[in-house]
Amino acid sequence: MAALRPRPLIERLPAVRGRLTANAPLAAITWFRVGGPAEVMFRPADLEDLRHFLAGLPAEVPVTVIGVGSNLLVRDGGVPGIVLRLGRSFAEIRVGPGHILAGAAALDLNVARVAAEDGIAGLEFLSGIPGTIGGALRMNAGAYGHELVDVVTGAEALDRQGRLHRLTKEDLGLSYRHSSVPEDWIFTSATLTGTVGVTETIRARLAEIQAAREATQPIRSRTGGSTFANPPGHKAWELIDRAGCRGLALGGAMVSEKHCNFLINTGSATAADIETLGEIVRRRVREATGIELRWEIRRIGVEARGVESPVPEARR
Ligand SMILES: Cc1cc2nc3c(=O)[nH]c(=O)nc-3n(C[C@H](O)[C@H](O)[C@H](O)COP(=O)(O)OP(=O)(O)OC[C@H]3O[C@@H](n4cnc5c(N)ncnc54)[C@H](O)[C@@H]3O)c2cc1C
């Protein structure tokens, strides 16, 4: 007798107004441009649609939310369960006196620009971070001496059962590239508060940040930004340089010559190339300096099955 096959996940999901797609490619919507598909991708129509979906979703189905994939390495075997992508109805940016209310899908750059036009200073650093507000909350994103924790005054999130939580800055538990909010909660919006500033001055600062990034980072490459967090008292890039890893390559993955805490897909990399190269860098740094680097890039999904290719040697 033929064994009964389980029904595909997409057939076991609550009815929604948004879009559900089985086997949805993810590589094209991440900066690294690698990795396998989502078992099911869900783009909710709005907050109510998302709440209803989560409330009706079988408890054993994992949910992974992604922003614009600027800090993500999706493994080659894809991501089991639901991958959630928030769309336009979560990208609204509203201005109040001295503050901004931004949806979780709003781009950090757009938030910085709106703040500039409304004379709200202090959010300029966001213009250099190529992610969304949701990703910035999860990562406590920061640049040029400022982090999200310096400007966020509140946020909203849904838990895995679809209940809405209003969070204070303290509830967010933000520390260096980390939030203590449970991993399966989904940020839906944030309030960011600045100080009174002059639009011309703020605009000039945005232009300075843009120029500085062009000069120091491979921002037009397929990359995930800083690969490793800076260990206390050290710069990850200096340790990587000291361990002789600048320019190191494996398969289609390479340690950037321009900024050696960035890994790059030179065109043909698999996620396995990138992750393996990252692990080689970690090992070499440990051997050279005794310091253990922590991945800042979030790795999601599973390795490809049935691909038994030998691991290539790292080369220069
Ligand atoms: C060229 C380049 C430069 C960069 N420079 C910086 C920098 O200067 N400073 C810095 O901090 N980072 C930097 N980054 C990394 C990255 O831009 C940030 O971490 C950013 O905050 C990630 O946002 P995202 O929307 O792309 O999130 P993703 O990469 O899509 O996801 C990152 C994490 O956030 C979670 N997440 C995303 N949205 C939500 C949500 N709505 N609710 C809950 N969790 C969510 C994901 O599950 C994942 O764990 C850089 C990246 C690149 C490619």
Side-chain angles (χ1 to χ4, degrees):
M1 204 169 69
L4 280 180
R5 283 207 201 177
R7 279 165 66 213
L9 177 60
I10 191 135
E11 293 173 16
R12 294 183 276 129
L13 300 175
V16 293
R17 286 179 285 114
R19 194 154 18 118
L20 288 164
T21 316
N23 216 18
L26 291 173
I29 56 170
T30 68
W31 271 62
F32 269 128
R33 295 282 188 277
V34 298
E39 186 174 4
V40 173
M41 161 96 78
F42 177 39
R43 295 170 192 263
D46 52 32
L47 185 66
E48 249 339 282
D49 197 30
L50 178 55
R51 288 179 73 160
H52 167 81
F53 176 79
L54 291 170
L57 186 67
E60 71 282 3
V61 179
V63 176
T64 308
V65 55
I66 64 170
V68 288
S70 62
N71 198 50
L72 272 190
L73 180 60
V74 178
R75 295 196 174 102
D76 299 308
V79 184
I82 306 294
V83 172
L84 183 61
R85 193 138 195 261
L86 306 181
R88 209 174 298 156
S89 66
F90 294 85
E92 211 184 321
I93 303 172
R94 277 189 273 148
V95 185
H99 72 266
I100 296 233
L101 178 63
L107 291 175
D108 299 342
L109 174 62
N110 292 345
V111 172
R113 283 182 176 156
V114 169
E117 294 317 304
D118 278 83
I120 300 174
L123 307 186
E124 296 89 323
F125 73 97
L126 286 172
S127 69
I129 302 171
T132 62
I133 291 297
L137 284 164
R138 174 57 68 197
M139 300 305 301
N140 185 22
Y144 303 106
H146 299 273
E147 299 177 315
L148 203 77
V149 68
D150 302 326
V151 295
V152 68
T153 45
E156 290 191 346
L158 292 177
D159 65 21
R160 175 60 183 75
Q161 288 74 38
R163 289 176 299 234
L164 186 69
H165 298 262
R166 296 209 159 81
L167 306 169
T168 63
K169 176 190 182 126
E170 288 67 37
D171 294 334
L172 291 167
L174 298 173
S175 55
Y176 176 55
R177 300 298 170 266
H178 174 79
S179 160
S180 63
V181 168
E183 278 293 321
D184 58 358
W185 285 27
I186 298 141
F187 294 114
T188 54
S189 69
T191 305
L192 308 175
T193 302
T195 55
V196 178
V198 176
T199 294
E200 284 313 313
T201 317
I202 304 171
R203 277 198 201 136
R205 181 71 189 127
L206 297 190
E208 263 173 41
I209 289 176
Q210 188 56 34
R213 296 191 87 86
E214 293 266 358
T216 58
Q217 294 183 358
I219 57 174
R220 299 195 197 294
S221 304
R222 299 167 177 203
T223 179
S226 293
T227 311
F228 303 106
N230 291 324
H234 297 276
K235 295 253 180 266
W237 75 262
E238 276 174 4
L239 300 173
I240 294 167
D241 217 9
R242 223 198 297 161
C245 295
R246 188 182 288 268
L248 198 67
L250 181 117
M254 188 178 166
V255 176
S256 167
E257 294 275 1
K258 196 168 186 180
H259 188 320
C260 62
N261 193 22
F262 280 44
L263 295 179
I264 287 177
N265 170 8
T266 59
S268 59
T270 60
D273 290 342
I274 296 168
E275 188 166 11
T276 308
L277 181 60
E279 287 301 332
I280 291 170
V281 170
R282 283 182 74 224
R283 176 170 49 79
R284 290 197 181 183
V285 166
R286 190 190 319 122
E287 286 167 1
T289 69
I291 296 170
E292 193 76 46
L293 291 175
R294 163 173 81 83
W295 281 89
E296 178 173 324
I297 286 176
R298 296 297 192 99
R299 293 158 296 157
I300 61 171
V302 294
E303 283 165 19
R305 268 186 297 164
V307 189
E308 284 301 325
S309 53
V311 176
E313 285 288 309
R315 60 181 195 283
R316 322 200 124 259

